[in-house]
PDB file of all heavy atoms in Angstrom:
ATOM      1  N   LEU A 400       5.944 -11.380  -5.603  1.00 79.00           N
ATOM      2  CA  LEU A 400       4.793 -10.898  -4.814  1.00 79.00           C
ATOM      3  C   LEU A 400       3.884 -11.994  -4.294  1.00 79.00           C
ATOM      4  O   LEU A 400       3.620 -12.230  -3.130  1.00 79.00           O
ATOM      5  CB  LEU A 400       4.087  -9.945  -5.571  1.00 79.00           C
ATOM      6  CG  LEU A 400       3.408  -8.738  -4.867  1.00 79.00           C
ATOM      7  CD1 LEU A 400       4.561  -7.822  -4.308  1.00 79.00           C
ATOM      8  CD2 LEU A 400       2.530  -7.966  -5.859  1.00 79.00           C
ATOM      9  N   MET A 401       3.269 -12.714  -5.256  1.00 78.00           N
ATOM     10  CA  MET A 401       2.214 -13.695  -4.977  1.00 78.00           C
ATOM     11  C   MET A 401       2.790 -14.802  -4.105  1.00 78.00           C
ATOM     12  O   MET A 401       2.161 -15.214  -3.125  1.00 78.00           O
ATOM     13  CB  MET A 401       1.576 -14.241  -6.201  1.00 78.00           C
ATOM     14  CG  MET A 401       0.524 -15.220  -5.925  1.00 78.00           C
ATOM     15  SD  MET A 401      -0.070 -16.007  -7.436  1.00 78.00           S
ATOM     16  CE  MET A 401       1.441 -16.428  -8.280  1.00 78.00           C
ATOM     17  N   THR A 402       3.936 -15.296  -4.493  1.00 88.00           N
ATOM     18  CA  THR A 402       4.535 -16.420  -3.774  1.00 88.00           C
ATOM     19  C   THR A 402       4.854 -16.068  -2.311  1.00 88.00           C
ATOM     20  O   THR A 402       4.579 -16.794  -1.410  1.00 88.00           O
ATOM     21  CB  THR A 402       5.852 -16.919  -4.447  1.00 88.00           C
ATOM     22  OG1 THR A 402       5.658 -16.909  -5.879  1.00 88.00           O
ATOM     23  CG2 THR A 402       6.224 -18.198  -4.002  1.00 88.00           C
ATOM     24  N   VAL A 403       5.384 -14.853  -2.142  1.00 91.00           N
ATOM     25  CA  VAL A 403       5.729 -14.387  -0.801  1.00 91.00           C
ATOM     26  C   VAL A 403       4.452 -14.254   0.007  1.00 91.00           C
ATOM     27  O   VAL A 403       4.388 -14.706   1.209  1.00 91.00           O
ATOM     28  CB  VAL A 403       6.459 -12.999  -0.900  1.00 91.00           C
ATOM     29  CG1 VAL A 403       6.708 -12.443   0.476  1.00 91.00           C
ATOM     30  CG2 VAL A 403       7.787 -13.236  -1.633  1.00 91.00           C
ATOM     31  N   ALA A 404       3.390 -13.583  -0.513  1.00 86.00           N
ATOM     32  CA  ALA A 404       2.178 -13.366   0.260  1.00 86.00           C
ATOM     33  C   ALA A 404       1.492 -14.723   0.556  1.00 86.00           C
ATOM     34  O   ALA A 404       1.082 -14.908   1.739  1.00 86.00           O
ATOM     35  CB  ALA A 404       1.222 -12.486  -0.586  1.00 86.00           C
ATOM     36  N   LEU A 405       1.344 -15.561  -0.396  1.00 88.00           N
ATOM     37  CA  LEU A 405       0.716 -16.799  -0.129  1.00 88.00           C
ATOM     38  C   LEU A 405       1.534 -17.758   0.758  1.00 88.00           C
ATOM     39  O   LEU A 405       0.996 -18.528   1.616  1.00 88.00           O
ATOM     40  CB  LEU A 405       0.291 -17.546  -1.437  1.00 88.00           C
ATOM     41  CG  LEU A 405      -0.787 -16.825  -2.251  1.00 88.00           C
ATOM     42  CD1 LEU A 405      -1.125 -17.536  -3.529  1.00 88.00           C
ATOM     43  CD2 LEU A 405      -2.000 -16.484  -1.402  1.00 88.00           C
ATOM     44  N   GLY A 406       2.872 -17.610   0.633  1.00 94.00           N
ATOM     45  CA  GLY A 406       3.752 -18.430   1.483  1.00 94.00           C
ATOM     46  C   GLY A 406       3.535 -18.088   2.935  1.00 94.00           C
ATOM     47  O   GLY A 406       3.442 -18.919   3.841  1.00 94.00           O
ATOM     48  N   ALA A 407       3.549 -16.703   3.199  1.00 95.00           N
ATOM     49  CA  ALA A 407       3.295 -16.260   4.597  1.00 95.00           C
ATOM     50  C   ALA A 407       1.954 -16.707   5.069  1.00 95.00           C
ATOM     51  O   ALA A 407       1.801 -17.217   6.240  1.00 95.00           O
ATOM     52  CB  ALA A 407       3.348 -14.749   4.607  1.00 95.00           C
ATOM     53  N   CYS A 408       0.900 -16.639   4.239  1.00 91.00           N
ATOM     54  CA  CYS A 408      -0.437 -17.113   4.667  1.00 91.00           C
ATOM     55  C   CYS A 408      -0.437 -18.632   4.946  1.00 91.00           C
ATOM     56  O   CYS A 408      -1.076 -19.066   5.957  1.00 91.00           O
ATOM     57  CB  CYS A 408      -1.465 -16.891   3.556  1.00 91.00           C
ATOM     58  SG  CYS A 408      -1.795 -15.157   3.204  1.00 91.00           S
ATOM     59  N   SER A 409       0.203 -19.412   4.150  1.00 95.00           N
ATOM     60  CA  SER A 409       0.290 -20.864   4.331  1.00 95.00           C
ATOM     61  C   SER A 409       0.938 -21.189   5.652  1.00 95.00           C
ATOM     62  O   SER A 409       0.496 -22.135   6.398  1.00 95.00           O
ATOM     63  CB  SER A 409       1.061 -21.507   3.233  1.00 95.00           C
ATOM     64  OG  SER A 409       0.594 -21.118   1.958  1.00 95.00           O
ATOM     65  N   VAL A 410       2.067 -20.542   6.006  1.00 97.00           N
ATOM     66  CA  VAL A 410       2.689 -20.776   7.285  1.00 97.00           C
ATOM     67  C   VAL A 410       1.855 -20.523   8.447  1.00 97.00           C
ATOM     68  O   VAL A 410       1.671 -21.353   9.341  1.00 97.00           O
ATOM     69  CB  VAL A 410       4.033 -19.970   7.327  1.00 97.00           C
ATOM     70  CG1 VAL A 410       4.577 -19.977   8.738  1.00 97.00           C
ATOM     71  CG2 VAL A 410       5.069 -20.514   6.366  1.00 97.00           C
ATOM     72  N   VAL A 411       1.083 -19.403   8.384  1.00 96.00           N
ATOM     73  CA  VAL A 411       0.164 -19.088   9.464  1.00 96.00           C
ATOM     74  C   VAL A 411      -0.992 -20.095   9.513  1.00 96.00           C
ATOM     75  O   VAL A 411      -1.306 -20.601  10.570  1.00 96.00           O
ATOM     76  CB  VAL A 411      -0.441 -17.714   9.200  1.00 96.00           C
ATOM     77  CG1 VAL A 411      -1.622 -17.438  10.239  1.00 96.00           C
ATOM     78  CG2 VAL A 411       0.580 -16.619   9.349  1.00 96.00           C
ATOM     79  N   PHE A 412      -1.448 -20.464   8.320  1.00 95.00           N
ATOM     80  CA  PHE A 412      -2.616 -21.392   8.307  1.00 95.00           C
ATOM     81  C   PHE A 412      -2.184 -22.766   8.981  1.00 95.00           C
ATOM     82  O   PHE A 412      -2.935 -23.300   9.785  1.00 95.00           O
ATOM     83  CB  PHE A 412      -2.984 -21.655   6.823  1.00 95.00           C
ATOM     84  CG  PHE A 412      -4.192 -22.511   6.725  1.00 95.00           C
ATOM     85  CD1 PHE A 412      -5.436 -22.018   7.024  1.00 95.00           C
ATOM     86  CD2 PHE A 412      -4.065 -23.786   6.254  1.00 95.00           C
ATOM     87  CE1 PHE A 412      -6.608 -22.831   6.892  1.00 95.00           C
ATOM     88  CE2 PHE A 412      -5.262 -24.618   6.156  1.00 95.00           C
ATOM     89  CZ  PHE A 412      -6.395 -24.163   6.416  1.00 95.00           C
ATOM     90  N   VAL A 413      -0.991 -23.302   8.603  1.00 96.00           N
ATOM     91  CA  VAL A 413      -0.595 -24.571   9.181  1.00 96.00           C
ATOM     92  C   VAL A 413      -0.276 -24.447  10.630  1.00 96.00           C
ATOM     93  O   VAL A 413      -0.717 -25.219  11.393  1.00 96.00           O
ATOM     94  CB  VAL A 413       0.623 -25.104   8.371  1.00 96.00           C
ATOM     95  CG1 VAL A 413       1.228 -26.297   8.976  1.00 96.00           C
ATOM     96  CG2 VAL A 413       0.280 -25.316   6.883  1.00 96.00           C
ATOM     97  N   LEU A 414       0.460 -23.401  11.004  1.00 96.00           N
ATOM     98  CA  LEU A 414       0.892 -23.248  12.407  1.00 96.00           C
ATOM     99  C   LEU A 414      -0.285 -23.169  13.337  1.00 96.00           C
ATOM    100  O   LEU A 414      -0.294 -23.657  14.465  1.00 96.00           O
ATOM    101  CB  LEU A 414       1.805 -22.097  12.571  1.00 96.00           C
ATOM    102  CG  LEU A 414       3.269 -22.379  12.318  1.00 96.00           C
ATOM    103  CD1 LEU A 414       4.126 -21.142  12.607  1.00 96.00           C
ATOM    104  CD2 LEU A 414       3.774 -23.548  13.186  1.00 96.00           C
ATOM    105  N   GLU A 415      -1.361 -22.472  12.906  1.00 94.00           N
ATOM    106  CA  GLU A 415      -2.510 -22.200  13.845  1.00 94.00           C
ATOM    107  C   GLU A 415      -3.297 -23.526  14.082  1.00 94.00           C
ATOM    108  O   GLU A 415      -4.133 -23.578  14.972  1.00 94.00           O
ATOM    109  CB  GLU A 415      -3.376 -21.138  13.260  1.00 94.00           C
ATOM    110  CG  GLU A 415      -2.710 -19.739  13.470  1.00 94.00           C
ATOM    111  CD  GLU A 415      -3.645 -18.551  13.240  1.00 94.00           C
ATOM    112  OE1 GLU A 415      -4.702 -18.752  12.640  1.00 94.00           O
ATOM    113  OE2 GLU A 415      -3.228 -17.431  13.631  1.00 94.00           O
ATOM    114  N   PHE A 416      -2.952 -24.586  13.338  1.00 93.00           N
ATOM    115  CA  PHE A 416      -3.530 -25.900  13.748  1.00 93.00           C
ATOM    116  C   PHE A 416      -2.932 -26.419  15.108  1.00 93.00           C
ATOM    117  O   PHE A 416      -3.488 -27.217  15.807  1.00 93.00           O
ATOM    118  CB  PHE A 416      -3.282 -26.959  12.669  1.00 93.00           C
ATOM    119  CG  PHE A 416      -4.327 -26.930  11.641  1.00 93.00           C
ATOM    120  CD1 PHE A 416      -4.028 -26.292  10.368  1.00 93.00           C
ATOM    121  CD2 PHE A 416      -5.605 -27.439  11.793  1.00 93.00           C
ATOM    122  CE1 PHE A 416      -4.953 -26.209   9.405  1.00 93.00           C
ATOM    123  CE2 PHE A 416      -6.528 -27.388  10.756  1.00 93.00           C
ATOM    124  CZ  PHE A 416      -6.209 -26.759   9.581  1.00 93.00           C
TER     125      PHE A 416
END
Side-chain angles (χ1 to χ4, degrees):
Chain A
L400 216 68
M401 178 187 49
T402 318
V403 175
L405 292 182
C408 291
S409 310
V410 166
V411 171
F412 185 73
V413 171
L414 274 184
E415 286 193 345
F416 277 101

